[in-house]
Structure formats: C-alpha cells, structure tokens
Amino acid sequence: MRFYFQQAVRAFILILFTIYIVKLHYTGDILKLINPKYGTISMIGVVILLILFVTQLHRVFSKHDEHKHNHDHEDHHHDHGYSPLNGRKLVSYFIIVLPLITGFLLPPSTLDASIAAKKGAMLSITNNAMQEQNSGQPQEKEESADENMENEQPIHQNAPDPNLDSNTISMEKYDQIVNQLGEQDSILMSEQVYSTYYEMINKEMNSFVGKEISLKGFVYKEDDFKSNQLVLGRFLITHCVADSSIIGFLSSVEDATELTEDTWVEATGTIYIEEYNGTRMPAINISDYQVIDEPEQPYLYPITIKYK
C-alpha cells in the first residue's frame, strides 16, 4: 500500500467543504447566502460531498502497481492526481481552497447601503414603479415571448419547486392576502407579505394614497435627496445573494439628517405620491419611528404559490 499526498489533499478539501456547509446551517449563516427554500438542496449537496469524500479515501491508500498502471494510461493532458506537483497545480488548488479560507476566517456579512448604492438602489426602485404601473396598461406593441420572460417578475407565477420549505402558501391564502390589502386602512408590511404588497402598492398607488403604513427597513440615501428624504430599503432574495435586488419606499421625515445609512428603523407613516427623476412612485410621510437593531433575518423572500 502506498500513501498518495495529492489524493489526500483532495479528500481534505472535500471534507472541508462539507464541514463548512454544515457549519453555515448550524449557525444560521446559510440564510445570509441563499433563500431558505433551497436549504434542502444545500443539505443534499452535503450528502454528495460526503459520498465523494469516502470515494476519494480509496485513492489515498492504494496498491502501487494499480496506480502505476493507471498512470501509464493517463492522457498527457489529463491528470488524475498522481503526477508530481507543479506551479500550475498549486495555483489550481489555491483557487479551489480560497473560498474555504475566506469562509472560515471571515464571517458572512449582510448586504447594506453600500451594496445598495452599487446596485443602483433608486434606479431599481423607480424601475419597479414604472414596470408595475405599465403592467396594468395596454402595451403599444405586442411583446415577444422572450421579452415577456425578461419582464416577468419571478415571484408568483413560477411552477412549484419540490424543495420549497419557506414562504410557501396556497393559492387560496394568496388570494386572501391580496384581497385583504385593499380593505385595510392600516397596512402592516410584514416579512411574508412585503414583496406582494410592494408590487400592488406600486401598481395601484392612487388607491393607497392617504393610507397608514408600518414597515421596517435600513436607511439609504442618495446625494440628490432633499434634507428630509431617505429610503427605507430591504433586500429581496429570489435564489441567493447574487440575484438580490433592493426594494423600498422613498420617505420623508423631519430629522432625516440624524439617521445615518444602514440604521435600521421601524416606522409608521402615510402613503403619498412623490415624483423622482420624472417617475411617479409611492412614498411615505413618516410620522413616527424608532431605531431598532438589525433583524436576525434582514432579507425578504418572494411568496411562492403552492398549486394543488
């Protein structure tokens, strides 16, 4: 029997990835990276990594003659891990291990106002307002199927995912949520219904003018905001943080200058219509607020309808 160092390194990398993903689940940090509905898929990945690790162990200790035979038949451009280490291999191993190094040494951080700025927060919010308003109006031209796919919001109409385990409701429950919104004089933007209510308020903003609204969000500001303006924003995660988008409301509050970016606020106010860069959008005139700690789960997730 002979010990093969490179095969041992590969086995070690596999088990480290397994441990890292399990650690993310154990600490809850996995929710800072993916939508909770994909937690099952993530754990399936752990099982697959464990299987690969066990399989790899067989290659760490093997008969010399067996691998000499395999090495003799290796393609010149295809390495199975038995040829000597070289600079190219070391670079490849480093690239693979780098996510583990950063993952173990640097705790996952939540998306904040600096990320919102890079993603063009106000551009995203104004686009949301325009898209929702236009979706209820006749189109000037017939759109192709591809264009419809691009404009479609990935929220309610998707086929059910067999691994859904979060924020999934029945069609009856969804209809109930939608119908209740129009009847409420005071709107509570809870985590579950936030994205749905946000869509509807943008689509039919005139119907909600004057209504009271309560919500939580982090403070975001643009350079061209008035002294009393800020955005109460939230990040919406459809699949993972890579596809995150910011949603929220342009708001006015008397002492806005005292609220710094990334401050989390729980606020109550009245909906009115504001025009920003030529776009009409629902905004909030905040009458009361309090500074709060960042929620344990700061992200929002779209409602997914479970069809029978």
Side-chain angles (χ1 to χ4, degrees), residues 4 63-75 80 82:
Y4 291 90
K63 294 181 180 179
H64 175 70
D65 291 341
E66 176 185 341
H67 286 300
K68 182 178 184 301
H69 174 77
N70 290 337
H71 178 71
D72 290 341
H73 289 82
E74 280 183 355
D75 184 271
H80 293 281
Y82 302 107

CSV table of all heavy atoms in Angstrom, one decimal, residues 4 63-75 80 82:
chain,number,residue,atom,x,y,z
A,4,TYR,N,-0.7,8.5,-1.2
A,4,TYR,CA,-0.7,9.5,-2.2
A,4,TYR,C,-1.1,10.8,-1.7
A,4,TYR,O,-2.3,11.0,-1.3
A,4,TYR,CB,-1.6,9.1,-3.4
A,4,TYR,CG,-1.1,7.8,-4.1
A,4,TYR,CD1,-1.5,6.6,-3.7
A,4,TYR,CD2,-0.2,8.0,-5.2
A,4,TYR,CE1,-1.0,5.4,-4.4
A,4,TYR,CE2,0.3,6.8,-5.8
A,4,TYR,CZ,-0.1,5.6,-5.4
A,4,TYR,OH,0.4,4.5,-6.1
A,63,LYS,N,-2.8,0.3,-3.9
A,63,LYS,CA,-1.6,-0.5,-4.3
A,63,LYS,C,-0.8,0.3,-5.4
A,63,LYS,O,-1.4,0.9,-6.3
A,63,LYS,CB,-2.1,-1.8,-4.9
A,63,LYS,CG,-2.7,-2.8,-3.9
A,63,LYS,CD,-3.1,-4.1,-4.6
A,63,LYS,CE,-3.8,-5.0,-3.6
A,63,LYS,NZ,-4.2,-6.3,-4.2
A,64,HIS,N,0.5,0.2,-5.2
A,64,HIS,CA,1.4,1.0,-6.1
A,64,HIS,C,1.2,0.5,-7.6
A,64,HIS,O,1.1,1.3,-8.5
A,64,HIS,CB,2.8,0.8,-5.7
A,64,HIS,CG,3.8,1.4,-6.6
A,64,HIS,ND1,4.0,2.8,-6.7
A,64,HIS,CD2,4.7,0.8,-7.5
A,64,HIS,CE1,4.9,3.1,-7.6
A,64,HIS,NE2,5.4,1.9,-8.1
A,65,ASP,N,1.1,-0.8,-7.8
A,65,ASP,CA,1.0,-1.3,-9.1
A,65,ASP,C,-0.2,-0.9,-9.8
A,65,ASP,O,-0.2,-0.6,-11.0
A,65,ASP,CB,1.1,-2.9,-9.1
A,65,ASP,CG,2.5,-3.4,-8.7
A,65,ASP,OD1,3.4,-2.6,-8.8
A,65,ASP,OD2,2.5,-4.6,-8.3
A,66,GLU,N,-1.3,-0.8,-9.1
A,66,GLU,CA,-2.6,-0.4,-9.6
A,66,GLU,C,-2.5,1.0,-10.2
A,66,GLU,O,-2.9,1.3,-11.3
A,66,GLU,CB,-3.7,-0.4,-8.6
A,66,GLU,CG,-5.0,0.1,-9.0
A,66,GLU,CD,-6.0,0.1,-7.9
A,66,GLU,OE1,-5.8,-0.5,-6.9
A,66,GLU,OE2,-7.0,0.9,-8.0
A,67,HIS,N,-1.9,2.0,-9.5
A,67,HIS,CA,-1.8,3.4,-9.9
A,67,HIS,C,-0.7,3.6,-10.9
A,67,HIS,O,-0.8,4.5,-11.7
A,67,HIS,CB,-1.7,4.3,-8.7
A,67,HIS,CG,-3.0,4.4,-8.0
A,67,HIS,ND1,-4.1,4.9,-8.6
A,67,HIS,CD2,-3.3,4.1,-6.7
A,67,HIS,CE1,-5.1,4.9,-7.7
A,67,HIS,NE2,-4.6,4.4,-6.5
A,68,LYS,N,0.3,2.7,-10.9
A,68,LYS,CA,1.3,2.8,-11.9
A,68,LYS,C,0.7,2.4,-13.3
A,68,LYS,O,0.9,3.1,-14.3
A,68,LYS,CB,2.5,1.8,-11.6
A,68,LYS,CG,3.6,1.9,-12.6
A,68,LYS,CD,4.7,0.9,-12.2
A,68,LYS,CE,5.9,1.1,-13.2
A,68,LYS,NZ,5.5,0.8,-14.6
A,69,HIS,N,-0.2,1.4,-13.2
A,69,HIS,CA,-0.9,1.0,-14.5
A,69,HIS,C,-1.8,2.2,-15.0
A,69,HIS,O,-1.8,2.5,-16.1
A,69,HIS,CB,-1.7,-0.2,-14.2
A,69,HIS,CG,-2.6,-0.6,-15.4
A,69,HIS,ND1,-2.1,-1.2,-16.5
A,69,HIS,CD2,-3.9,-0.4,-15.6
A,69,HIS,CE1,-3.1,-1.5,-17.4
A,69,HIS,NE2,-4.2,-1.0,-16.8
A,70,ASN,N,-2.5,2.8,-14.0
A,70,ASN,CA,-3.4,3.9,-14.4
A,70,ASN,C,-2.6,5.1,-14.9
A,70,ASN,O,-3.0,5.8,-15.8
A,70,ASN,CB,-4.2,4.4,-13.2
A,70,ASN,CG,-5.3,3.4,-12.8
A,70,ASN,OD1,-5.7,2.6,-13.6
A,70,ASN,ND2,-5.7,3.4,-11.5
A,71,HIS,N,-1.4,5.4,-14.3
A,71,HIS,CA,-0.6,6.5,-14.7
A,71,HIS,C,-0.1,6.3,-16.1
A,71,HIS,O,0.0,7.2,-16.9
A,71,HIS,CB,0.5,6.7,-13.7
A,71,HIS,CG,1.5,7.8,-14.1
A,71,HIS,ND1,1.1,9.1,-14.0
A,71,HIS,CD2,2.7,7.7,-14.6
A,71,HIS,CE1,2.1,9.9,-14.4
A,71,HIS,NE2,3.1,9.0,-14.8
A,72,ASP,N,0.3,5.0,-16.4
A,72,ASP,CA,0.8,4.7,-17.8
A,72,ASP,C,-0.3,5.0,-18.8
A,72,ASP,O,0.1,5.2,-20.0
A,72,ASP,CB,1.2,3.2,-17.8
A,72,ASP,CG,2.5,3.0,-17.0
A,72,ASP,OD1,3.2,4.0,-16.7
A,72,ASP,OD2,2.8,1.8,-16.6
A,73,HIS,N,-1.5,4.9,-18.5
A,73,HIS,CA,-2.6,5.0,-19.4
A,73,HIS,C,-3.2,6.4,-19.4
A,73,HIS,O,-4.2,6.7,-20.0
A,73,HIS,CB,-3.7,4.0,-19.2
A,73,HIS,CG,-3.2,2.6,-19.7
A,73,HIS,ND1,-2.5,1.8,-18.8
A,73,HIS,CD2,-3.4,1.9,-20.8
A,73,HIS,CE1,-2.2,0.6,-19.5
A,73,HIS,NE2,-2.8,0.7,-20.7
A,74,GLU,N,-2.7,7.3,-18.5
A,74,GLU,CA,-3.2,8.7,-18.5
A,74,GLU,C,-3.0,9.4,-19.7
A,74,GLU,O,-1.9,9.3,-20.3
A,74,GLU,CB,-2.6,9.5,-17.3
A,74,GLU,CG,-3.2,9.1,-15.9
A,74,GLU,CD,-2.6,9.9,-14.8
A,74,GLU,OE1,-1.6,10.7,-15.2
A,74,GLU,OE2,-3.0,9.9,-13.7
A,75,ASP,N,-4.0,10.2,-20.1
A,75,ASP,CA,-3.8,11.1,-21.3
A,75,ASP,C,-2.8,12.2,-20.8
A,75,ASP,O,-2.8,12.6,-19.7
A,75,ASP,CB,-5.1,11.7,-21.6
A,75,ASP,CG,-5.0,12.6,-22.9
A,75,ASP,OD1,-4.7,13.8,-22.7
A,75,ASP,OD2,-5.2,12.1,-24.0
A,80,HIS,N,-4.8,12.7,-13.1
A,80,HIS,CA,-5.7,12.1,-12.1
A,80,HIS,C,-5.1,12.3,-10.7
A,80,HIS,O,-5.6,11.7,-9.7
A,80,HIS,CB,-5.8,10.6,-12.4
A,80,HIS,CG,-6.5,10.3,-13.6
A,80,HIS,ND1,-7.9,10.3,-13.7
A,80,HIS,CD2,-6.1,9.9,-14.9
A,80,HIS,CE1,-8.3,10.0,-15.0
A,80,HIS,NE2,-7.2,9.7,-15.7
A,82,TYR,N,-1.8,11.9,-9.7
A,82,TYR,CA,-0.6,11.0,-9.4
A,82,TYR,C,0.7,11.6,-9.9
A,82,TYR,O,1.8,11.1,-9.6
A,82,TYR,CB,-0.8,9.6,-9.9
A,82,TYR,CG,-2.1,9.0,-9.3
A,82,TYR,CD1,-3.2,8.8,-10.2
A,82,TYR,CD2,-2.2,8.6,-8.0
A,82,TYR,CE1,-4.4,8.3,-9.6
A,82,TYR,CE2,-3.3,8.0,-7.5
A,82,TYR,CZ,-4.4,7.9,-8.3
A,82,TYR,OH,-5.6,7.3,-7.8
